[in-house]
Amino acid sequence: MCDSKTCSAVAVAPARRKFLRMTSVSAFVAAIGGMSTDFAVAAKAKVLPKPQNTLSPDDALKRLMEGNARYVSGLTRRHDFAHEREALNGGQNPYAAVLGCADSRIAPEYAFDSARGDLFVTRVAGNFINDDVLGSLEYAVAELKVPIIVVLGHDKCGAVDAAVKVATKGATYPGRIQSLATAILPSVNKIKGEATDLLGAAIAQNVRDSVVNLQTQSAIIQEAEKAGKLRIVGGVYRLGTGKIDLID
Ligand SMILES: [Zn+2]
């Protein structure tokens, strides 16, 4: 950055040329190296920014559900973002990871009455597992040591409804919206013949399938669960009340 007239194009040019000389491979390696360093700093900070976030899987679930109860009752805590900023500048140690829908009405931090640095949240419309979602959650488990992952669906989910309409009416959608519906379609097909409330049943089945996919598609997650360091639960957020119902 230049803030003086003496800083001319002559001074800038060598740096620019040097940058341009970098091969695409070296730029890629530099980028990956930088990312790894950031991850390492985040995970290995000597002093945990939030010591109260070091919880067992069961205690983490208890804290989540207590937070949801406060949210439902309207008695949420005051979260002092300015006070926490300095601690979180040095790292993160969230006490839970959440896979939620992109729906604007579902905000996990609000729903669990949690603050910054508490939840590692991955969101995609329809809260299903794909490679990028799985990689994000593997990072939360392997590096941040989260003790619990919550797969959080919600009622009246538009993404699941899109898959229901594919299954029942052969609906098609423009662009990549179709890929969302296609990803959720197997869950719909599992319960299509037996459900009276097809959308409600598909929402629950999609959560169950996402839990199973987490448990079966990742060695990192499998090992953590087997060692008792990680619990994976599914839940459905009720739009009308804000309550999160855990599902089997
Ligand atoms: Zn949704």
Side-chain angles (χ1 to χ4, degrees), residues 176-201:
R176 302 293 177 88
I177 299 171
Q178 187 71 36
S179 73
L180 297 175
T182 302
I184 300 166
L185 190 57
S187 299
V188 179
N189 286 335
K190 275 184 193 171
I191 45 88
K192 194 169 70 171
E194 46 197 78
T196 48
D197 171 15
L198 183 54
L199 178 57

Side-chain angles (χ1 to χ4, degrees), residues 7-223:
C7 179
S8 66
V10 175
V12 173
R16 179 171 168 77
R17 279 200 300 274
K18 186 179 176 186
F19 174 76
L20 293 173
R21 276 201 304 273
M22 290 177 76
T23 64
S24 58
V25 172
S26 65
F28 176 74
V29 169
I32 292 296
M35 186 170 70
S36 298
T37 303
D38 288 345
F39 281 7
V41 167
K44 293 170 184 168
K46 286 179 183 172
V47 179
L48 294 172
K50 296 193 137 186
Q52 69 274 26
N53 281 3
T54 304
L55 297 171
S56 70
D58 288 350
D59 286 345
L61 180 60
K62 184 169 178 282
R63 184 167 159 192
L64 287 166
M65 299 317 289
E66 286 174 352
N68 181 240
R70 290 194 302 275
Y71 172 73
V72 169
S73 67
L75 298 173
T76 50
R77 289 179 177 158
R78 179 179 181 274
H79 298 289
D80 184 350
F81 299 114
H83 178 70
E84 291 174 339
R85 194 168 292 138
E86 185 177 345
L88 292 172
N89 191 35
Q92 60 170 322
N93 65 315
Y95 75 88
V98 178
L99 167 59
C101 183
D103 192 302
S104 64
R105 300 167 293 181
I106 321 300
E109 285 85 354
Y110 290 157
F112 292 115
D113 191 24
S114 291
R116 291 194 312 131
D118 285 341
L119 304 181
F120 186 93
V121 181
T122 305
R123 295 177 70 167
V124 62
N127 44 269
F128 61 89
I129 302 297
N130 62 20
D131 278 356
D132 299 320
V133 165
L134 193 55
S136 298
L137 293 172
E138 283 183 334
Y139 170 69
V141 172
E143 295 295 324
L144 303 181
K145 314 295 183 193
V146 294
I148 190 166
I149 299 175
V150 182
V151 177
L152 185 60
H154 67 98
D155 50 17
K156 302 175 185 172
C157 180
V160 177
D161 190 45
V164 167
K165 288 188 169 68
V166 170
T168 57
K169 300 174 182 173
T172 59
Y173 303 95
R176 302 293 177 88
I177 299 171
Q178 187 71 36
S179 73
L180 297 175
T182 302
I184 300 166
L185 190 57
S187 299
V188 179
N189 286 335
K190 275 184 193 171
I191 45 88
K192 194 169 70 171
E194 46 197 78
T196 48
D197 171 15
L198 183 54
L199 178 57
I203 286 164
Q205 188 62 45
N206 181 49
V207 168
R208 286 190 199 97
D209 288 346
S210 291
V211 169
V212 170
N213 289 339
L214 278 172
Q215 290 169 325
T216 56
Q217 293 181 12
S218 164
I220 290 171
I221 288 172
Q222 266 179 355
E223 285 168 17

